[in-house]
């Protein structure tokens, strides 16, 4: 029998309010928590790429709070979906992955999850366990539980259908498959970002139809956390947009990137990514609004808190020292990441994108045009500087805080 | 190598014009026929019930013409679809069938097909051969080839979607599965009633995408025959509406039912169900329009032709003699079908429906109210005459031409 601790009023408040967007049905989930009922909380992920951003950390930290009370997180590895990719995409953007690639990505992601989650209270389940055995009859029975109109209510489908953009029939199946995952693992609660609400409700509906109780007799409860806005201050943090910090970035990189966020994000980042108490959080928001102190001071604390959480207090302090030294004196920091010169001839812009200093080659070109790229302290001008004119030992700076040092090419 | 004979101009005209609603693409099919290319012509059927009506005969006769030139008819037994039924229907109207029931129905149907088709040039393929092995990945890849908007163009879907009536997601899959049948058997032409056009075009599209040439390099051609209107003169002939003649009905029943059709159908029945030459057909249509002779004379010829085709010239003549005797003298015919008294107590209306003298109990009640039901020459009145007051030897007459004789109950 799993030991579950009932939360104090204060813990309950933190659990259901801080960094929480919505709970459906909230009263029932609170009741279950108060009763000390052991919960199976589902979280799915897509192992298409091995990167986990701080956007994920918002939810993982919330799940860790549940684990600390003794609840179980059931992590669904979306290996079936990753292997099939999106067959309607003829482009290479969503290729099918091999079983080995999916396994490698999953392992990498799970290791990052366990920087936050408690391994002991985590159950790992692979979609392929049930979907490799799924028959056509299973698909038809599943599909028969939902109507076209119901699925077209999902915001993105509704918008695309309204705009006469194509929606593949298989796209209607994916929410049903994700919902079936809940049936397969008998979850009590499913967790996700606010953009997952529709899909999670499909799982709730399916559980209800097959008679799985979930948290309160009506299928799984839904626990939604807010989406973290990325470094650009505009869009959801995501790997494909390049506006992200990965969970496993080294301290100085993480610190530097956090120092680059717009002031408007400071409050939300404190709320979603730190344990700074609510009253301090309110004070920070107010201070930023009134410009009571230089917002950079808040950002420094934010960056220290987050780097401290993922690395250590010492690492955070060293990152701050390095940052201050660089920022205030224009110095090159001491522990610049090293990247090997690529073989063959590349454009500099592609190189910058490849090593992660820009989200894409075109963004790199914009940075070059804006005078934000230096090699050995000298501004790079547009016009196709080739990478083969870089030498081992050259230092490239992008913006204020991001550096790489070039080493000899891999042979 | 299959021996294929090229049709004469006259045969080609008959093949592509008589009892044909539409051919897509017509020029290519004609070219293939003229070139003596061997064609695989697909026809699917649903073995949910063991009855095949004269509506089917329209197409089967057309297919037989192709067989007579040496082409192959590939009959798809829809055993997979019949076994799963419609999982969204909670009513008993579309139950799942067991494998045994499906097999028995298929055998019964195929025997009826072979009253028209040439067994030698027929290939029988069961859907389960491919769909029992279909994986979830196969379904997703298939579904990815079509969009929601494309499928919602099908008339019945468009109407239901417009009227906000539910369309199950599985219903979108069925046309794709039917289309996949064409890929599985590599058909050159698919045949069906005009109501099948959309589904057959899905098969054509799928073949094109996977690079199967069909009749002219662009996927299977589509050959559509007109729908036969039922005995009521209003709706498509179908078993569920009760307005049908089964292919295997005995001569007198078939003859009697044909004599009951409205005059407005005579011309179409001649066109779709007989080999009466086109010029005679025109003359018959004209005669009916101008009421040049009593239409019953044309109906007699029609009934003789059709009964002669399914039974024999002699049987047709005997049926006519029996009909004339009954009709003109009010006599009971000599070879009345016998039905056992049911056990227990039933309403007469249910009994009439059960033995096929009415499409439903409510229709039987309407017939009783209309004075069209007699027992031993005496009109039955409404008010719940119970079947247990029938005795072995009683003769029931419904309308002018339909009789049964009651025998002792089965024990």
């Amino acid at each position: 029998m799993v030991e579950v601790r009932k939360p104090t009023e204060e813990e309950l408040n933190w659990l259901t309010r801080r960094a929480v967007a919505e709970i459906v049905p909230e009263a029932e989930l609170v009741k279950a928590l108060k009763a000390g009922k052991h919960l199976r909380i589902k979280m799915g992920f897509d192992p298409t790429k091995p990167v986990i951003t701080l956007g994920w950390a918002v939810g993982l930290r919330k799940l860790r709070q549940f684990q600390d009370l003794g609840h179980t997180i059931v992590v669904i590895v979306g290996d079936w979906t990753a292997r099939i990719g999106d067959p309607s995409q003829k482009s290479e953007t969503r290729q099918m992955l091999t079983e080995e690639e999916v396994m490698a990505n999953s392992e990498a992601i799970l290791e990052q999850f366990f920087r936050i989650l408690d391994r002991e209270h985590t159950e790992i389940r692979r979609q392929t366990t049930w979907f490799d055995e799924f028959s056509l009859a299973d698909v038809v029975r599943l599909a028969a539980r939902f109507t076209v109109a119901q699925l077209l209510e999902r915001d993105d489908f509704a918008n695309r259908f309204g705009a006469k953009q194509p929606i593949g029939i298989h796209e209607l199946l994916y929410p049903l498959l994700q919902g079936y995952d809940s049936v397969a693992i008998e979850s009590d609660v499913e967790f996700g970002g606010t953009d997952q609400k529709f899909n999670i409700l499909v799982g709730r509906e399916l559980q209800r139809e097959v008679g799985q109780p979930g948290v309160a007799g009506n299928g799984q409860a839904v626990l939604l956390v807010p989406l973290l806005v990325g470094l650009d201050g505009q869009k959801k943090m995501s790997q494909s947009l390049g506006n992200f910090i990965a969970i496993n970035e080294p301290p100085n990189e993480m610190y530097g990137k956090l120092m680059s966020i717009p002031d408007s994000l400071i409050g939300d980042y404190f709320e979603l990514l730190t344990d700074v108490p609510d009253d301090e959080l309110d004070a920070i928001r107010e201070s930023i609004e009134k410009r009571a102190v230089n917002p950079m001071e808040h950002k420094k604390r934010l960056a220290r808190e987050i780097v401290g959480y993922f690395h250590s207090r010492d690492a955070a302090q060293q990152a701050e020292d390095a940052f201050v030294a660089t920022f205030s004196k224009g110095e090159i920091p001491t522990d610049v990441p090293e990247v090997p010169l690529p073989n063959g001839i590349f454009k500099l812009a592609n190189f910058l994108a490849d090593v992660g200093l820009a989200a894409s080659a075109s963004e790199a070109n914009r940075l070059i045009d804006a005078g934000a790229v230096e090699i050995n302290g000298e501004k790079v001008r547009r016009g196709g500087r080739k990478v083969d004119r870089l030498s081992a030992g050259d230092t490239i700076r992008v913006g204020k805080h991001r550096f790489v040092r070039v080493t000899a090419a891999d042979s």
Side-chain angles (χ1 to χ4, degrees), chain A:
Chain A
M1 194 57 202
V2 187
E3 284 279 331
V4 172
R5 190 168 64 74
K6 299 175 189 175
T8 63
E9 270 303 318
E10 201 184 328
E11 284 173 325
L12 190 63
N13 191 50
W14 184 266
L15 211 52
T16 58
R17 296 260 176 265
R18 175 69 171 250
V20 170
E22 190 176 1
I23 298 174
V24 182
E26 182 167 342
E28 281 75 1
L29 181 61
V30 166
K31 202 171 147 194
L33 287 167
K34 281 183 171 171
K37 183 185 169 187
H38 172 241
L39 299 175
R40 293 170 61 74
I41 305 174
K42 172 191 168 194
M43 178 191 69
F45 75 90
D46 166 19
T48 306
K49 299 217 167 140
V51 178
I52 289 296
T53 72
L54 286 195
W56 274 93
V58 178
L60 292 166
R61 287 164 50 84
K62 177 56 60 189
L63 293 175
R64 174 63 191 242
Q65 294 161 18
F66 281 88
Q67 287 185 318
D68 288 344
L69 293 171
H71 301 289
T72 300
I73 305 306
V74 187
V75 174
I76 308 284
V77 181
D79 55 348
W80 189 88
T81 321
R83 255 168 44 196
I84 190 149
D86 183 344
S88 67
Q89 298 285 330
K90 270 110 190 173
S91 77
E92 287 176 29
T93 51
R94 281 203 67 179
Q95 277 180 307
M96 281 180 67
L97 298 185
T98 64
E99 198 167 334
E100 291 68 33
E101 289 169 320
V102 169
M103 286 292 279
N105 288 346
S106 302
E107 292 307 317
I109 289 169
L110 288 168
E111 279 316 304
Q112 292 172 73
F113 282 176
F114 290 131
R115 286 172 180 247
I116 302 177
L117 293 183
D118 171 6
R119 221 179 267 260
E120 289 287 305
H121 290 98
T122 303
E123 189 180 308
I124 297 167
R125 303 288 299 275
R126 299 182 186 280
Q127 274 189 324
T128 44
T129 315
W130 43 93
F131 287 142
D132 275 355
E133 304 301 315
F134 230 56
S135 71
L136 179 56
D138 292 326
V139 183
V140 168
R141 284 190 209 105
L142 180 61
R145 296 183 184 277
F146 292 88
T147 68
V148 177
Q150 274 176 310
L151 290 187
L152 289 185
E153 277 173 18
R154 200 174 84 170
D155 283 348
D156 58 335
F157 287 158
N159 293 339
R160 287 161 61 197
F161 193 72
K164 299 198 188 301
Q165 289 164 355
I167 301 170
I169 303 294
H170 66 301
E171 297 185 69
L172 301 187
L173 298 178
Y174 284 150
L176 308 186
L177 297 179
Q178 181 178 331
Y180 186 84
D181 292 340
S182 299
V183 172
I185 63 146
E186 302 189 43
S187 49
D188 298 306
V189 180
E190 181 168 350
F191 151 85
T194 47
D195 53 355
Q196 287 297 306
K197 183 174 180 182
F198 183 94
N199 291 351
I200 299 176
L201 286 171
V202 166
R204 177 170 162 82
E205 178 72 23
L206 269 182
Q207 283 190 325
R208 196 181 298 177
E209 289 209 21
V210 303
Q212 283 188 9
V215 77
N218 266 320
Q220 65 183 12
V222 183
L223 175 69
L224 302 178
V225 296
L227 300 179
L228 191 72
V229 174
L231 303 178
D232 57 355
Q234 304 289 334
K235 296 195 172 130
K236 176 187 168 185
M237 180 177 282
S238 94
Q239 201 215 353
S240 55
L241 295 177
N243 62 351
F244 70 103
I245 303 176
I247 278 187
N248 60 0
E249 281 191 53
N252 288 15
E253 280 290 297
M254 190 181 269
Y255 191 99
K257 284 188 178 178
L258 285 164
M259 291 305 290
S260 77
I261 63 171
D263 297 345
S264 59
L265 293 186
I266 298 173
D268 286 349
Y269 273 44
F270 266 111
E271 176 178 355
L272 300 176
L273 293 168
T274 77
D275 289 334
V276 163
D278 286 340
D279 49 358
E280 286 187 48
L281 179 60
D282 292 342
I284 291 167
R285 286 192 194 275
E286 199 184 322
S287 155
I288 290 168
E289 200 177 317
K290 295 188 178 164
R291 300 233 140 223
V293 299
N294 185 339
M296 182 175 290
E297 293 310 309
H298 293 304
K299 265 204 253 188
K300 280 182 174 168
R301 179 174 175 198
L302 176 71
R304 270 201 316 275
E305 292 275 353
I306 295 175
V307 175
Y309 180 84
F310 284 105
H311 296 280
S312 68
R313 198 169 285 268
D314 284 352
Q317 190 56 56
Q318 284 165 22
E320 181 160 297
D321 294 345
F323 178 84
V324 170
T326 311
F327 182 74
S328 42
K329 302 176 206 148
E331 273 176 16
I332 297 170
T334 49
D335 61 339
V336 170
E338 302 194 329
V339 294
L341 263 180
N343 294 308
I345 297 173
F346 282 83
K347 295 253 188 189
L348 181 62
N350 296 95
F351 177 72
L352 295 178
D354 285 348
V355 302
L357 285 173
S360 63
S362 55
E363 195 208 305
N365 276 324
R366 280 193 299 275
L367 290 165
I368 291 169
D369 290 343
V373 178
E374 294 179 359
I375 297 180
N376 300 331
E378 192 182 328
K379 276 202 178 114
V380 176
R381 270 170 236 295
R382 189 67 170 270
R385 175 157 176 150
K386 298 287 194 299
V387 171
D388 58 340
R389 279 154 62 198
L390 283 177
S391 314
D394 285 351
T395 299
I396 306 176
R397 178 204 289 249
V398 173
K400 280 185 184 139
H401 317 309
R402 304 178 67 196
F403 296 86
V404 294
R405 185 166 290 128
V406 178
T407 62
D410 287 338
S411 57

